Amino acid sequence: MTEKLLIDSLFLMKDKLYRFAYRLLKDEDEALDAVQETMVKAWINQRTLLEADSKEAWCMRVVKNDALDRLKRRKKRVIEGIENNYQLKDEKLKNPFEMAAAEDDKKNIANFIAMLPFKQQQVIHLREIEGYSYQEISQITELDINQVKINLYRARRALREKILNTHAYGL
């Protein structure tokens, strides 16, 4: 892979890296800094990156580690929510009532995800929002693939229960 191809592949994944860093850091500037630091590390470690099975997973792991380091330095606990550009699958709503209900659902889902344990938040974001495979999530989070599946199952189950309770009881 030439330098140009490496630059092109890094450019294509920058948005995913940013979204993931932003979800962890909840700060635009710090997320941009984390992505920039990842790009610099990718450039410096070109050989390692070229040998990696998945260049994207390698970069996601680097941005995750950088973001977690930034959180430790800040000494704040991150509570993740759902990013502003998260779209519900039912986007073709016809009237204002349906649009308001969808917006409420979006806020509820964001709050429910924020209540999940950190590993479950990470895994559900990477799988459901970013669309990564179990293997890629395993590489990014440095969890065993079975742990990824368990955390994803538990996160989905908890979200389903909370959503059903909200719709059934209005809680």
Side-chain angles (χ1 to χ4, degrees), residues 8 16 22 26 33 43 49-50 61-62 67 69 74 78-79 82 87 93 95 115 122 129 134 140 157 159 161-162:
D8 290 345
K16 280 187 178 183
Y22 182 78
K26 294 294 185 206
D33 289 345
W43 185 255
L49 182 59
L50 292 173
R61 184 172 51 246
V62 171
D69 288 344
R74 263 200 270 164
V78 66
I79 299 175
I82 213 159
Q87 299 293 318
L93 303 173
N95 63 47
M115 288 188 259
Q122 271 189 308
I129 297 172
Y134 293 128
I140 292 166
R157 185 183 64 198
L159 289 175
E161 288 175 10
K162 290 175 192 242

Side-chain angles (χ1 to χ4, degrees), residues 4-93:
K4 174 134 176 54
L5 288 175
L6 178 63
I7 292 169
D8 290 345
S9 65
L10 290 173
F11 180 76
L12 290 174
M13 67 178 88
K14 72 177 174 37
D15 291 338
K16 280 187 178 183
L17 294 172
Y18 172 78
R19 285 192 305 267
F20 190 51
Y22 182 78
R23 280 186 58 66
L24 293 171
L25 296 167
K26 294 294 185 206
D27 183 280
E28 289 180 25
D29 293 331
E30 282 208 74
L32 288 170
D33 289 345
V35 171
Q36 182 177 5
E37 186 66 28
T38 300
M39 297 296 185
V40 169
K41 286 179 183 177
W43 185 255
I44 291 170
N45 297 299
Q46 288 180 37
R47 286 193 178 139
T48 304
L49 182 59
L50 292 173
E51 294 171 2
D53 292 335
S54 172
K55 287 148 193 54
E56 193 169 314
W58 187 92
C59 288
M60 289 294 280
R61 184 172 51 246
V62 171
V63 81
K64 176 200 73 154
N65 290 338
D66 187 82
L68 292 177
D69 288 344
R70 289 171 188 275
L71 287 172
K72 287 177 190 173
R73 283 193 298 264
R74 263 200 270 164
K75 294 186 181 192
K76 287 184 181 178
R77 184 182 165 133
V78 66
I79 299 175
E80 292 187 56
I82 213 159
E83 68 266 358
N84 293 333
N85 65 349
Y86 177 81
Q87 299 293 318
L88 295 173
K89 292 183 181 182
D90 208 24
E91 289 179 330
K92 297 178 182 175
L93 303 173

Side-chain angles (χ1 to χ4, degrees), residues 23 82-83 86 113 124-131:
R23 280 186 58 66
I82 213 159
E83 68 266 358
Y86 177 81
I113 289 175
I124 202 153
H125 172 81
L126 291 170
R127 180 68 180 175
E128 301 301 336
I129 297 172
E130 298 297 340

